[in-house]
Amino acid sequence: MNAGILGLGRYLPEKVVTNADLEKIMDTSDEWIRTRTGIEERRIAGDDMDTSDMAFEAAKEAINHAGVSAEDIDLILVATVTPDRPFPSVSCMLQERLGAKKAAAMDISAACAGFMYGMITAKQFIETGAYKHILIVGVEKLSKITDWNDRNTAVLFGDGAGAAVMGPVSDGRGVLSFELGADGSGGKYLLQEGDFISMNGREVFKFAVRQMGESSLNVLEKAGLTKEDVDLLVPHQANIRIMEASRERLNLPPEKMTKTVHKYGNTSAASIPIAIVEELEAGRIKDGDLLVMVGFGGGLTWGAIALRWGK
Ligand code: UT7
């Protein structure tokens, strides 16, 4: 049995914060942010929208898109580092709000690679036949833990949610191969310290460029495929320079890489599913396409998936 994506959804807060808005509250410039990161604006959730609220909106859309009902969901996995509170988990809060009565529920802490960890956890349950429908949500309200006095980090992040329902798909479709990894010795480079995110940008940058390229190539090799087979690269949307380095490693033209970082910033675990939804809506993904998704994040963590689109 192969595990694939049956439906997707996303939620982005309405409030847009532009680089010009940030220029007014800290010592930065639109020019610096654009050239170093590719980010032009990001969405920030209001006080009335916590992590579970965004997760709920994206999850509803994914369940509808998959053509299933909440009662069909066997397991809910929520990847987040900004839960409403340490417990109950966001996944348990979602289970109640969705009315997913038979679903088990747990949160996954793997920072920006969380959606990859969620999808690969789901794949195991589906392929063994233990569970049929699994809801995975990547969601962050990073604005809660952003120090608006720290220009090194405050310009990078945005809030949002992306969700997928995974289930059994036909032969040759779905997840073909994956790689997950962690290196706790690099935990010091990107962490929450006290109330806020703290980051050594240069170290994370070097790690990301190396890992994104290697993991993408590794999943292709594991699936018996080559760079030429890739139809769409879906990298974690952290920084356009890191994304471009991954694209160049696969020798892909610009149109074969998703890009949402300019309008949403880095939404951590939400960035990969949000990017896929936008490609689908633009009609740029068709049945049989080969997608390579790849993410990295605090932990340090990383994960990549080669997926043949279709049910
Ligand atoms: O999901 C994972 C999350 N983390 C990441 O993806 C971060 C990965 N790292 C990066 O994206 C990049 O390292 C950054 C965008 C964070 C920084 O770019 P950089 O080219 O590595 O810049 P830098 O750290 O070498 O800093 C260059 C200068 C510094 O000034 P000095 O010391 O050279 O005088 C910084 O103080 O830029 C300064 N700077 C800023 N200037 C204006 C740092 N942040 C800002 C800012 N506006 N927002």
Side-chain angles (χ1 to χ4, degrees), residues 1-2 24 35 39 95-97 127 181 191 203 216 245 249 255 266 278 287 303:
M1 198 134 40
N2 289 351
K24 290 177 203 143
T35 53
I39 299 167
Q95 192 249 16
E96 199 255 328
R97 268 179 88 176
E127 290 188 354
L191 68 157
E203 287 300 332
S216 304
R249 197 83 189 266
E255 63 274 15
N266 178 351
E278 302 223 340
D287 189 49

Side-chain angles (χ1 to χ4, degrees), residues 37-268:
T37 73
I39 299 167
E40 294 164 20
E41 54 188 48
R42 70 286 292 144
R43 303 295 180 93
I44 300 294
D47 292 341
D48 57 340
M49 245 308 149
D50 209 340
T51 300
S52 64
D53 302 307
M54 292 192 284
F56 178 62
E57 298 301 328
K60 273 194 304 191
E61 199 174 285
I63 289 169
N64 284 338
H65 186 222
V68 298
S69 74
E71 292 88 48
D72 296 323
I73 304 293
D74 299 297
L75 175 65
I76 300 173
L77 300 170
V78 174
T80 187
V81 294
T82 50
D84 297 38
R85 54 181 69 79
F87 70 94
S89 61
V90 175
S91 49
C92 278
M93 296 170 76
L94 260 191
Q95 192 249 16
E96 199 255 328
R97 268 179 88 176
L98 290 168
K101 292 195 180 64
K102 75 170 177 186
M106 66 173 171
D107 286 4
I108 292 176
S109 177
C112 305
F115 202 79
M116 298 294 89
Y117 270 75
M119 280 189 67
I120 294 310
T121 305
K123 166 186 148 74
Q124 314 306 323
F125 286 109
I126 293 162
E127 290 188 354
T128 57
Y131 290 145
K132 200 164 173 206
H133 296 114
I134 301 183
L135 171 68
I136 307 115
V137 184
V139 56
E140 298 296 0
K141 190 176 178 183
L142 289 167
S143 59
K144 284 198 289 198
I145 57 166
T146 297
D147 178 355
W148 296 102
N149 296 312
D150 176 13
R151 67 176 185 175
N152 290 300
T153 55
V155 302
L156 302 176
F157 300 107
D159 299 334
V165 174
M166 287 181 69
V169 292
S170 50
D171 248 12
R173 296 285 187 272
V175 177
L176 305 177
S177 62
F178 71 92
E179 173 172 288
L180 291 177
D183 176 7
S185 72
K188 56 184 177 285
Y189 298 136
L190 178 53
L191 68 157
Q192 183 174 343
E193 212 160 25
D195 291 334
F196 299 123
I197 301 169
S198 158
M199 184 180 74
N200 179 330
R202 226 170 278 184
E203 287 300 332
V204 176
F205 191 96
K206 279 191 284 183
F207 154 72
V209 167
R210 189 184 68 244
Q211 201 56 56
M212 298 263 277
E214 277 172 20
S215 295
S216 304
L217 292 171
N218 287 345
V219 292
L220 286 173
E221 195 185 332
K222 284 183 189 176
L225 297 165
T226 66
K227 298 173 191 177
E228 287 72 38
D229 297 312
V230 178
D231 294 299
L232 189 66
L233 174 66
V234 189
H236 168 46
Q237 307 281 310
N239 179 320
I240 193 68
R241 289 153 58 209
I242 298 171
M243 293 159 55
E244 288 295 351
S246 316
R247 181 176 71 72
E248 279 158 22
R249 197 83 189 266
L250 295 185
N251 297 336
L252 295 173
E255 63 274 15
K256 288 196 173 182
M257 180 180 79
T258 58
K259 192 185 127 193
T260 63
V261 68
H262 58 297
K263 50 184 183 173
Y264 304 141
N266 178 351
T267 58
S268 185

